[in-house]
Amino acid sequence: MIALGVNIDHVATLRQARYRDQKSSFPAPEPDPIEAARIAEKAGAEGITAHLREDRRHVIDRDIRHLGRVVHGKFNLEMSAAEDVVRRALLVRPDQATLVPERRAEVTTEGGLSLKSGRNKEKLARVIKRLSARHIAVSLFIDPDSAAVRAAAALEADAVEIHTGSYANARGRAARRELSRIRHAAEEAAGLGLAVYAGHGLNYVNIAGILAIPEIAEVNIGHSIVSHAMFVGFAQAVREMKALLAWAPKRQNQAKRT
Ligand code: PXP
């Protein structure tokens, strides 16, 4: 079954909307993303993802320290290659670091890492080495294209997370085209020995396309689960996504038979 990493950033976003400037711990800032992580794991999530952004707009340092202690499954820290954040990661030692591009003005991560420029690659290579030396698995968030896959393999990353945002935003034929790009990137990455994950913009409907790609071992989903949780509760929202992911092996077996 495809593993589910629940991204709790948007729980932290809601908390920060009210408590960003509060200096004391009273009243207790809510909702607590750590509690969300506990509930998500109890409801069956295989891992928890949190993005420590350079501007700390949602997840803050205290959150990742606590997550490092309470997450039983995979703790995946999304982060840029900025020195301050790399140092925090080396202290907290998540199971995995997912390196993502980060721009201050963006509302959310808008694209995969740029792996074309030599300088960028050199910087990433140094960060990957430092994380790997502390036994933190490294995943690179990339767009579904062959050059990015090959660059990630050359950088000796452990995994790639394929950006599914364009697929999520497309309809009809365009969505099928995007899905085919994801499939090709996934096949190539797996062929090069990389673990393959996917994420961004995935929801209870568009996840169906991803289930049909057997190379994808894990999805990281935040916004749709947190949104659905408003109405059905966090545990139920996670359980419903897990139920959809459970279709995956059946679909693959069917594909093999036909
Ligand atoms: N994966 C990565 C690398 C991301 O940057 C994000 C967004 O923080 C996600 C997954 C989750 O995206 P969404 O909140 O749209 O499910």
Side-chain angles (χ1 to χ4, degrees), residues 7 9-10 78 100 108-109 141 161 199-202 220-223:
N7 182 314
D9 293 352
H10 292 292
E78 266 182 44
V100 301
T108 180
T109 314
F141 187 51
E161 179 174 333
H200 204 90
L202 296 177
N220 287 302
I221 306 180
H223 190 268

